[in-house]
């Protein structure tokens, strides 16, 4: 696929060149998509500025910019410009829109572009940068999970990073959507978690504790960008039970105590990431308001605007999406559901480090290896189950971009299961290419 010498001696340069080439292909497909789009609601956005506005450009140029603002991107750009005006916009969190707004303000202050154009440009800059950084983070995670083997010995880190460039999330990792930023923060958290485990097992409690808290901080930030980041709490739950088991069987020590405390702190930071948008919304809709002006969700035991919006506006719930008319969407999502579930179950059934440097199938797998792999596999498995049973199932192809283990697993199977990996990679590429053209036309899958 890529010359072995480039892979070994210049892995990051090679990945960057592939990244630029792939993005260029997706951009050309998007710009070349015919028509203004099936849904013209994007044209209703109040894209008005001062010196250089989209609305003062020729219609052809306007439509080129607006091709990027489709589906969820409409909400993200609107929130970035005006805040959460409508209740249903709280389904999209506060992370991506806030970061986009900050960058857009900088672009406007530098007089690079005016306010209207700066929002779209800022969002796309953020998405592209975050995707590239997540590729780098996945490389490092693959390196850590390959037991620290150098990239000249194990091809897995490079392959996994390359697969993430070709993610089936496709154009959603380039457009004004939260997928790429979530992926970067999620993978950063996973890198910090695995690094923390390594430090603890080398009797370096201070470095391990700091890394574990950093993992929680990154995954908590990821949860601000996308609420499904909360599933990463399972990683810390597995880690906590593992430490408690060690304490019960081997006794309490300073190292184990620090490991348990840092794990609890890290896991709590993920919960904080979910709570921040809820508290903000509660202040807007519930606090200091008389009961007759309060929204229904304000008086619930757990007053969560997110669960209310998902249920009330988007009809998200257990088996609600299971209708005959949605069957094509389940078929479109089937490959992503399969690879997420199969890779997670395979590693949970036979936990092992993902290394091809030396065979490990016949070796005794340590409890550290089992805990680390299972802790990373559980959130991936659960997101697949939730997408199948409760979510709008087609979004799993883009949600999958934020879960690193399946990329690394697929990279490790290229020799032993060559046919399966080839089929999977071809599906990823074809799906992403088709998706780019459909996205520009405001057509499903979204």
């Amino acid at each position: 696929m890529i010359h072995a010498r480039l892979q070994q001696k210049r892995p990051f340069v090679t990945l960057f060149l592939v990244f630029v080439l792939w993005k260029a292909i997706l951009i050309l497909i998007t710009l070349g998509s015919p028509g203004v789009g099936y849904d013209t609601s994007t044209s209703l956005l109040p894209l008005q500025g001062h010196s250089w506005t989209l609305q003062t450009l020729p219609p052809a140029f306007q439509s080129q910019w607006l091709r990027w603002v489709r589906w969820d991107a409409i909400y993200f750009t609107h929130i970035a410009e005006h805040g959460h005006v409508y209740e249903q916009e709280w389904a999209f969190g506060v992370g991506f829109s806030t970061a986009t707004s900050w960058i857009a303000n900088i672009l406007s202050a530098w007089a690079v572009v005016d306010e209207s154009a700066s929002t779209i440009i800022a969002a796309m800059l953020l998405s592209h940068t975050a995707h590239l950084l997540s590729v780098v983070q996945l490389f490092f995670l693959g390196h850590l999970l390959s037991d620290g083997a150098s990239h000249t010995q194990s091809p897995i880190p490079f392959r996994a990073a390359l697969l993430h460039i070709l993610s089936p999330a496709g154009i959603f990792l380039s457009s004004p959507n939260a997928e790429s930023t979530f992926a970067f923060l999620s993978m950063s958290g996973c890198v910090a978690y695995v690094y923390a485990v390594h430090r603890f097992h080398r009797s370096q409690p201070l470095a391990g504790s700091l890394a574990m808290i950093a993992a929680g901080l990154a995954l908590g930030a990821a949860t601000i960008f996308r609420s499904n980041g909360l599933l990463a709490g399972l990683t810390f739950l597995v880690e906590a039970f593992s430490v408690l088991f060690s304490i019960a069987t081997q006794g309490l020590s300073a190292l184990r105590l620090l490991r348990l405390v840092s794990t609890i702190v890290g896991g709590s930071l993920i919960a904080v990431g979910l709570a921040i948008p809820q508290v903000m919304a509660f202040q807007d809709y519930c606090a200091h308001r008389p009961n007759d002006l309060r929204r229904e969700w304000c008086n619930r035991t757990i007053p969560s605007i997110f669960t209310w919006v998902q249920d009330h506006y988007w009809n998200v719930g257990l088996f609600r999406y299971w209708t005959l008319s949605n069957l094509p969407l389940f078929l479109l999502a089937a490959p992503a559901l399969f690879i997420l579930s199969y890779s997670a179950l395979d590693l949970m059934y036979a936990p092992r480090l993902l290394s091809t440097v030396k065979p490990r199938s016949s070796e005794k797998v340590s409890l550290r290896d089992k805990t680390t792999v299972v802790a990373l596999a559980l959130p991936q498995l659960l997101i697949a189950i939730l997408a199948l049973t409760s979510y709008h199932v087609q979004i799993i192809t883009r949600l999958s971009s934020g879960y690193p283990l399946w990329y690394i697993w697929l990279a490790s199977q290229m020799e032993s299961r060559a046919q399966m990996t080839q089929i999977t990679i071809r599906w990823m590429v074809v799906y992403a290419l088709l998706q780019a053209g459909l996205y520009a036309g405001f057509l499903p899958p979204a």
Side-chain angles (χ1 to χ4, degrees):
M1 188 180 297
I2 299 294
H3 197 280
R5 185 174 298 176
L6 286 174
Q7 172 185 331
Q8 293 176 1
K9 294 187 177 181
R10 298 281 191 274
F12 294 111
V13 173
T14 306
L15 288 171
F16 177 76
L17 293 176
V18 174
F19 180 89
V20 171
L21 178 61
W22 179 246
K23 292 295 183 181
I25 292 172
L26 293 181
I27 289 172
L28 288 174
I29 291 175
T30 303
L31 296 179
S33 179
V36 297
Y38 175 76
D39 188 321
T40 59
S41 58
T42 303
S43 62
L44 300 177
L45 289 174
L47 297 173
Q48 298 180 3
H50 304 290
S51 58
W52 181 78
T53 68
L54 294 181
Q55 292 187 348
T56 60
L57 290 174
F61 287 92
Q62 291 183 37
S63 64
Q64 295 298 336
W65 277 104
L66 295 177
R67 289 176 191 277
W68 302 100
V69 187
R70 307 301 200 199
W71 300 105
D72 294 357
I74 294 177
Y75 290 95
F76 284 118
T77 53
H78 183 264
I79 297 168
E81 288 190 10
H82 307 287
H84 290 77
V85 178
Y86 307 106
E87 188 180 51
Q88 62 265 35
E89 290 180 325
W90 286 94
F92 302 93
V94 299
F96 185 81
S97 55
T98 301
T100 297
S101 181
W102 290 344
I103 298 172
N105 289 337
I106 294 174
L107 294 178
S108 297
W110 288 351
V112 178
V113 290
D114 78 343
E115 183 179 357
S116 60
S118 66
T119 300
I120 300 176
I121 295 173
M124 292 180 63
L125 284 174
L126 179 59
S127 290
H128 280 84
T129 302
H131 186 196
L132 180 60
L133 292 175
S134 66
V135 170
V136 175
Q137 291 293 64
L138 185 55
F139 181 94
F140 286 124
L141 182 60
H143 173 73
L144 288 172
L145 289 176
S146 295
D147 207 16
S150 70
H151 60 265
T152 58
Q153 294 176 301
S154 173
I156 291 177
F158 178 84
R159 289 175 179 175
L162 190 61
L163 289 172
H164 183 49
I165 295 175
L166 306 176
S167 170
I171 201 67
F172 284 91
L173 295 172
S174 303
S175 56
N177 288 279
E179 273 67 29
S180 58
T181 46
F182 174 81
F184 167 65
L185 292 168
S186 175
M187 292 180 187
S188 298
C190 291
V191 169
Y193 166 72
V194 177
Y195 179 82
V197 172
H198 285 189
R199 295 303 102 187
F200 281 124
H201 282 273
R202 294 176 184 176
S203 299
Q204 298 174 348
L206 180 59
S209 298
L210 292 175
M212 190 66 74
I213 293 173
L217 187 62
L219 292 167
T223 307
I224 295 177
F225 279 75
R226 285 204 69 99
S227 61
N228 54 286
L230 182 65
L231 300 181
L234 288 171
T235 299
F236 287 81
L237 188 62
V238 171
E239 178 68 19
F241 277 120
S242 173
V243 178
L244 288 172
F245 179 79
S246 297
I247 293 174
T249 56
Q250 302 175 37
L252 183 63
S253 66
L255 186 146
R256 296 188 187 99
L257 180 61
L258 283 173
R259 184 173 181 179
L260 180 61
V261 170
S262 62
T263 299
I264 294 172
V265 172
S268 299
L269 290 173
I270 298 176
V272 170
L274 183 69
I276 288 175
Q278 312 302 319
V279 172
M280 292 172 62
F282 188 87
Q283 292 297 320
D284 285 346
Y285 288 93
C286 308
H288 313 299
R289 285 193 180 188
N291 288 333
D292 58 333
L293 294 180
R294 282 186 165 205
R295 296 292 289 154
E296 179 182 332
W297 61 269
C298 294
N299 299 317
R300 291 183 173 181
T301 304
I302 301 178
S304 170
I305 192 172
F306 179 78
T307 55
W308 162 259
V309 165
Q310 291 287 349
D311 172 63
H312 185 70
Y313 292 99
W314 307 111
N315 195 34
V316 171
L318 187 64
F319 301 125
R320 291 186 184 178
Y321 215 57
W322 285 35
T323 64
L324 187 60
S325 61
N326 286 331
L327 180 59
L329 297 176
F330 279 88
L331 294 177
L332 283 172
L337 292 172
F338 173 79
I339 196 67
L340 285 170
S341 304
Y342 187 83
S343 59
L345 289 171
D346 183 51
L347 290 170
M348 291 172 67
Y349 176 75
R352 57 192 177 277
L353 287 179
L354 302 166
S355 177
T356 58
V357 178
K358 53 183 179 180
R360 301 184 63 91
S361 57
S362 60
E363 298 178 5
K364 183 178 179 181
V365 181
S366 70
L367 180 61
R368 180 194 73 179
D369 299 351
K370 292 180 181 179
T371 302
T372 303
V373 174
V374 170
L376 294 176
L378 274 175
Q380 177 181 298
L381 178 61
L382 187 55
I383 193 66
I385 294 173
L386 289 173
L388 178 63
T389 60
S390 303
Y391 294 171
H392 293 181
V393 69
Q394 71 274 12
I395 70 171
I396 191 60
T397 53
R398 45 191 174 108
L399 292 185
S400 66
S401 62
Y403 294 86
L405 197 61
W406 73 273
Y407 293 110
I408 301 172
W409 177 87
L410 188 62
S412 71
Q413 303 299 308
M414 286 189 175
E415 279 82 20
S416 59
R417 298 175 181 176
Q419 186 176 7
M420 185 201 70
T421 55
Q422 288 176 11
I423 292 173
T424 303
I425 294 171
R426 287 170 184 167
W427 161 74
M428 291 168 60
V429 172
V430 172
Y431 187 92
L433 293 176
L434 291 174
Q435 180 200 64
L438 293 171
Y439 178 92
F442 218 136
L443 295 167

